[in-house]
Amino acid sequence: MAADPPSPAPDRHKLPTRLALGLTAAIVLDTLVQTIWKRAALTLPPDSAGDPAAAVRSVLGQPLFLVVGALIVLQMVNWLKVLDDADVSYALPITALSYVSVAAVSALWLHEALTPGRIFGTLLILAGVFLVSRTDPNTLPAR
Amino acid sequence: MTRTAVGLVLIVICAVIEGLAQIAWKTASMRPDQSRRWIALGAVAYGSEIALYTLALTRVDVSIAFAMGSLSFVAVAILSRLLLGERINWLRGAGLFLILSGVALMGEQA
């Protein structure tokens, strides 16, 4: 009886769907956390730093902070799943794209300025994060 | 000091605190016999950072605050070099320099 033909080797360079979804979710969650956090912070009284008790009362009375907390937990769960499927040195620079998405969403929703200087600064940071991620992730001698 | 300047200082402090939290959690993984203590320390640091970052957001645009938060990459690199003996090669140094340059530019734009 003829043997079954060998199954084709998996293409290691193709991004698995689950990982692509996880990375997209990481960027979306990052963006949501930051912009909703800012929106919530805007509801705090102006003298929050000088009156911590009033600040805590404001935080507890603002549902948006609960939403931020829930999103942060979701973020952590999603990130752990992403790290199941990818090296952190691969995943981290991709999620740095959230610097771009936060700038864009904050301009649209929070009406923050999107100046050439801010765009260039964001791109410099993105480039820096990318370079750092290309280095050896473990420089300590093996134990 | 203006409100914006206070916000920027708070962000820098947050970056340093995050660096310390990351070092604490890294130490927890290196010293299993003391891990609970180091994990708790990291958690307290993160809690402080959340409070200070919220205050910073009342004074600075989130597009500035979030981008400047990348200073934590620099803080982690320096603290891990000083306290854990991790190495910074030229490529990592170049990346950190770009991050610092971007942060400085964002700070000026605030």
Side-chain angles (χ1 to χ4, degrees), chain A:
Chain A
M1 194 190 311
D4 289 335
S7 27
D11 183 355
R12 290 179 62 85
H13 297 287
K14 189 179 172 194
L15 187 64
T17 304
R18 192 172 96 155
L19 179 57
L21 287 173
L23 289 169
T24 304
I27 294 169
V28 169
L29 285 168
D30 232 351
T31 306
L32 285 173
V33 163
Q34 291 296 323
T35 49
I36 296 175
W37 200 344
K38 171 66 177 181
R39 189 69 189 83
L42 289 173
T43 66
L44 293 179
D47 56 348
S48 298
D51 191 353
V56 170
R57 279 197 300 272
S58 294
V59 167
L60 293 175
Q62 174 50 266
L64 284 178
F65 282 111
L66 268 178
V67 172
V68 171
L71 286 172
I72 287 175
V73 170
L74 256 178
Q75 214 180 10
M76 286 182 190
V77 169
N78 179 65
W79 187 241
L80 287 171
K81 288 196 180 299
V82 165
L83 293 183
D84 275 346
D85 296 330
D87 293 344
V88 67
S89 56
Y90 174 84
L92 198 60
I94 295 178
T95 61
L97 284 173
S98 55
Y99 291 126
V100 176
S101 57
V102 167
V105 171
S106 66
L108 288 169
W109 186 39
L110 301 172
H111 309 295
E112 291 184 358
L114 197 57
T115 63
R118 291 191 186 190
I119 293 171
F120 187 55
T122 302
L123 291 175
L124 276 176
I125 291 168
L126 209 55
V129 168
F130 177 77
L131 281 185
V132 168
S133 73
R134 303 322 294 166
T135 58
D136 184 355
N138 197 349
T139 63
L140 291 176
R143 293 175 169 268

Side-chain angles (χ1 to χ4, degrees), chain A residues 124-125 127-133 135, chain B residues 70-81 87-104:
Chain A
L124 276 176
I125 291 168
V129 168
F130 177 77
L131 281 185
V132 168
S133 73
T135 58
Chain B
S70 62
L71 264 178
S72 61
F73 284 96
V74 180
V76 167
I78 293 172
L79 287 170
S80 60
R81 173 76 185 95
R87 290 198 295 274
I88 301 176
N89 61 14
W90 73 269
L91 190 61
R92 192 174 285 185
L96 296 175
F97 175 75
L98 282 176
I99 292 171
L100 273 173
S101 304
V103 165

